[in-house]
mmCIF file of all heavy atoms in Angstrom:
data_model
loop_
_atom_site.group_PDB
_atom_site.id
_atom_site.type_symbol
_atom_site.label_atom_id
_atom_site.label_comp_id
_atom_site.label_asym_id
_atom_site.label_seq_id
_atom_site.Cartn_x
_atom_site.Cartn_y
_atom_site.Cartn_z
ATOM 1 N N ASP B 116 10.863 39.896 9.407
ATOM 2 C CA ASP B 116 12.228 40.219 9.087
ATOM 3 C C ASP B 116 13.147 39.875 10.181
ATOM 4 O O ASP B 116 14.304 39.586 9.953
ATOM 5 C CB ASP B 116 12.373 41.783 8.843
ATOM 6 C CG ASP B 116 11.771 42.138 7.394
ATOM 7 O OD1 ASP B 116 11.181 41.261 6.582
ATOM 8 O OD2 ASP B 116 11.679 43.331 7.168
ATOM 9 N N HIS B 117 12.726 39.877 11.434
ATOM 10 C CA HIS B 117 13.483 39.665 12.550
ATOM 11 C C HIS B 117 13.239 38.408 13.407
ATOM 12 O O HIS B 117 14.084 38.026 14.206
ATOM 13 C CB HIS B 117 13.422 40.957 13.519
ATOM 14 C CG HIS B 117 13.958 42.083 12.944
ATOM 15 N ND1 HIS B 117 15.261 42.402 12.851
ATOM 16 C CD2 HIS B 117 13.292 43.262 12.373
ATOM 17 C CE1 HIS B 117 15.418 43.656 12.188
ATOM 18 N NE2 HIS B 117 14.219 44.086 11.828
ATOM 19 N N GLY B 118 12.174 37.706 13.039
ATOM 20 C CA GLY B 118 11.899 36.473 13.708
ATOM 21 C C GLY B 118 11.497 36.608 15.318
ATOM 22 O O GLY B 118 11.567 35.747 15.908
ATOM 23 N N VAL B 119 11.065 37.783 15.525
ATOM 24 C CA VAL B 119 10.568 38.197 16.918
ATOM 25 C C VAL B 119 9.058 38.281 16.803
ATOM 26 O O VAL B 119 8.601 39.111 16.046
ATOM 27 C CB VAL B 119 11.272 39.465 17.436
ATOM 28 C CG1 VAL B 119 10.751 39.769 18.784
ATOM 29 C CG2 VAL B 119 12.820 39.336 17.517
ATOM 30 N N PRO B 120 8.301 37.619 17.655
ATOM 31 C CA PRO B 120 6.885 37.909 17.647
ATOM 32 C C PRO B 120 6.478 39.287 18.065
ATOM 33 O O PRO B 120 7.048 39.915 18.906
ATOM 34 C CB PRO B 120 6.374 36.850 18.742
ATOM 35 C CG PRO B 120 7.360 35.868 18.890
ATOM 36 C CD PRO B 120 8.699 36.535 18.569
ATOM 37 N N VAL B 121 5.729 39.819 17.123
ATOM 38 C CA VAL B 121 5.235 41.231 17.413
ATOM 39 C C VAL B 121 3.683 41.078 17.462
ATOM 40 O O VAL B 121 3.029 40.886 16.346
ATOM 41 C CB VAL B 121 5.638 42.213 16.286
ATOM 42 C CG1 VAL B 121 5.142 43.545 16.485
ATOM 43 C CG2 VAL B 121 7.178 42.263 16.227
ATOM 44 N N LEU B 122 3.070 41.462 18.494
ATOM 45 C CA LEU B 122 1.579 41.273 18.743
ATOM 46 C C LEU B 122 1.006 42.679 18.526
ATOM 47 O O LEU B 122 1.371 43.691 19.118
ATOM 48 C CB LEU B 122 1.295 40.880 20.179
ATOM 49 C CG LEU B 122 1.768 39.482 20.403
ATOM 50 C CD1 LEU B 122 1.087 38.369 19.633
ATOM 51 C CD2 LEU B 122 3.239 39.142 20.528
ATOM 52 N N ASN B 123 -0.117 42.666 17.569
ATOM 53 C CA ASN B 123 -0.704 43.928 17.238
ATOM 54 C C ASN B 123 -1.899 44.279 18.155
ATOM 55 O O ASN B 123 -3.040 43.682 17.970
ATOM 56 C CB ASN B 123 -1.147 43.801 15.727
ATOM 57 C CG ASN B 123 -1.697 45.127 15.404
ATOM 58 O OD1 ASN B 123 -1.907 46.146 15.979
ATOM 59 N ND2 ASN B 123 -1.946 45.201 13.904
ATOM 60 N N GLY B 124 -1.772 45.080 19.086
ATOM 61 C CA GLY B 124 -2.728 45.535 19.994
ATOM 62 C C GLY B 124 -3.155 46.966 19.661
ATOM 63 O O GLY B 124 -3.676 47.795 20.544
ATOM 64 N N VAL B 125 -3.009 47.403 18.292
ATOM 65 C CA VAL B 125 -3.292 48.749 18.001
ATOM 66 C C VAL B 125 -4.743 48.802 17.455
ATOM 67 O O VAL B 125 -5.029 48.203 16.452
ATOM 68 C CB VAL B 125 -2.328 49.268 16.778
ATOM 69 C CG1 VAL B 125 -2.763 50.653 16.354
ATOM 70 C CG2 VAL B 125 -0.814 49.328 17.373
ATOM 71 N N LEU B 126 -5.553 49.438 18.230
ATOM 72 C CA LEU B 126 -7.014 49.462 17.940
ATOM 73 C C LEU B 126 -7.153 50.246 16.684
ATOM 74 O O LEU B 126 -6.589 51.470 16.700
ATOM 75 C CB LEU B 126 -7.797 49.979 19.013
ATOM 76 C CG LEU B 126 -7.719 49.366 20.393
ATOM 77 C CD1 LEU B 126 -8.458 49.935 21.491
ATOM 78 C CD2 LEU B 126 -8.146 47.751 20.308
ATOM 79 N N ALA B 127 -7.980 49.830 15.847
ATOM 80 C CA ALA B 127 -8.498 50.656 14.622
ATOM 81 C C ALA B 127 -9.868 50.716 14.575
ATOM 82 O O ALA B 127 -10.549 49.721 14.329
ATOM 83 C CB ALA B 127 -7.912 50.153 13.307
ATOM 84 N N VAL B 128 -10.593 51.845 15.118
ATOM 85 C CA VAL B 128 -11.913 51.926 15.481
ATOM 86 C C VAL B 128 -12.681 53.018 14.801
ATOM 87 O O VAL B 128 -12.051 53.884 14.441
ATOM 88 C CB VAL B 128 -12.173 51.955 17.077
ATOM 89 C CG1 VAL B 128 -11.627 50.675 17.656
ATOM 90 C CG2 VAL B 128 -11.478 53.222 17.570
ATOM 91 N N GLU B 129 -13.996 52.901 14.632
ATOM 92 C CA GLU B 129 -14.847 53.891 14.104
ATOM 93 C C GLU B 129 -14.936 55.238 15.003
ATOM 94 O O GLU B 129 -15.074 56.258 14.492
ATOM 95 C CB GLU B 129 -16.183 53.368 13.709
ATOM 96 C CG GLU B 129 -16.078 52.202 12.662
ATOM 97 C CD GLU B 129 -15.575 52.752 11.328
ATOM 98 O OE1 GLU B 129 -16.071 53.849 10.873
ATOM 99 O OE2 GLU B 129 -14.745 52.022 10.536
ATOM 100 N N GLN B 130 -15.180 54.954 16.235
ATOM 101 C CA GLN B 130 -15.365 56.036 17.187
ATOM 102 C C GLN B 130 -14.769 55.617 18.564
ATOM 103 O O GLN B 130 -14.517 54.636 18.824
ATOM 104 C CB GLN B 130 -16.844 56.341 17.323
ATOM 105 C CG GLN B 130 -17.758 55.168 17.339
ATOM 106 C CD GLN B 130 -19.230 55.538 17.189
ATOM 107 O OE1 GLN B 130 -19.607 56.484 17.677
ATOM 108 N NE2 GLN B 130 -19.725 54.823 16.205
ATOM 109 N N HIS B 131 -14.629 56.740 19.375
ATOM 110 C CA HIS B 131 -14.060 56.579 20.589
ATOM 111 C C HIS B 131 -14.855 55.447 21.592
ATOM 112 O O HIS B 131 -14.114 54.865 22.291
ATOM 113 C CB HIS B 131 -13.982 57.849 21.360
ATOM 114 C CG HIS B 131 -12.724 58.753 20.929
ATOM 115 N ND1 HIS B 131 -11.441 58.547 21.367
ATOM 116 C CD2 HIS B 131 -12.671 59.778 20.006
ATOM 117 C CE1 HIS B 131 -10.651 59.414 20.794
ATOM 118 N NE2 HIS B 131 -11.446 60.142 20.003
ATOM 119 N N ALA B 132 -16.112 55.384 21.489
ATOM 120 C CA ALA B 132 -16.749 54.524 22.215
ATOM 121 C C ALA B 132 -16.317 52.951 21.840
ATOM 122 O O ALA B 132 -16.342 52.088 22.774
ATOM 123 C CB ALA B 132 -18.303 54.717 21.995
ATOM 124 N N ASP B 133 -16.058 52.828 20.597
ATOM 125 C CA ASP B 133 -15.423 51.476 20.234
ATOM 126 C C ASP B 133 -14.181 51.224 20.922
ATOM 127 O O ASP B 133 -13.878 49.987 21.426
ATOM 128 C CB ASP B 133 -15.328 51.338 18.745
ATOM 129 C CG ASP B 133 -16.656 51.492 18.006
ATOM 130 O OD1 ASP B 133 -17.734 51.266 18.550
ATOM 131 O OD2 ASP B 133 -16.603 52.094 16.819
ATOM 132 N N ALA B 134 -13.199 52.141 21.011
ATOM 133 C CA ALA B 134 -12.077 52.021 21.624
ATOM 134 C C ALA B 134 -12.218 51.817 23.305
ATOM 135 O O ALA B 134 -11.575 50.915 23.709
ATOM 136 C CB ALA B 134 -11.225 53.205 21.368
ATOM 137 N N GLN B 135 -13.123 52.508 23.753
ATOM 138 C CA GLN B 135 -13.283 52.412 25.204
ATOM 139 C C GLN B 135 -13.866 50.980 25.525
ATOM 140 O O GLN B 135 -13.453 50.321 26.597
ATOM 141 C CB GLN B 135 -14.312 53.533 25.732
ATOM 142 C CG GLN B 135 -13.740 54.894 25.656
ATOM 143 C CD GLN B 135 -14.747 55.857 25.981
ATOM 144 O OE1 GLN B 135 -16.019 55.757 25.765
ATOM 145 N NE2 GLN B 135 -14.329 57.106 26.207
ATOM 146 N N ALA B 136 -14.604 50.441 24.628
ATOM 147 C CA ALA B 136 -15.170 49.041 24.855
ATOM 148 C C ALA B 136 -14.076 48.019 24.844
ATOM 149 O O ALA B 136 -14.252 47.029 25.375
ATOM 150 C CB ALA B 136 -16.329 48.767 23.720
ATOM 151 N N ARG B 137 -13.010 48.290 24.025
ATOM 152 C CA ARG B 137 -11.950 47.354 23.957
ATOM 153 C C ARG B 137 -10.735 47.707 24.894
ATOM 154 O O ARG B 137 -9.696 46.934 24.772
ATOM 155 C CB ARG B 137 -11.524 47.392 22.548
ATOM 156 C CG ARG B 137 -12.533 46.664 21.655
ATOM 157 C CD ARG B 137 -12.386 47.094 20.113
ATOM 158 N NE ARG B 137 -13.389 46.338 19.381
ATOM 159 C CZ ARG B 137 -14.714 46.766 19.335
ATOM 160 N NH1 ARG B 137 -15.091 47.764 19.971
ATOM 161 N NH2 ARG B 137 -15.469 46.107 18.504
ATOM 162 N N ALA B 138 -10.860 48.735 25.685
ATOM 163 C CA ALA B 138 -9.847 49.052 26.608
ATOM 164 C C ALA B 138 -10.363 49.001 27.974
ATOM 165 O O ALA B 138 -10.069 49.909 28.801
ATOM 166 C CB ALA B 138 -9.344 50.532 26.358
#
Side-chain angles (χ1 to χ4, degrees):
D116 289 352
H117 296 280
V119 175
V121 179
L122 293 297
N123 186 353
V125 178
L126 303 178
V128 297
E129 295 296 320
Q130 46 195 307
H131 280 279
D133 298 329
Q135 291 168 340
R137 288 159 180 78

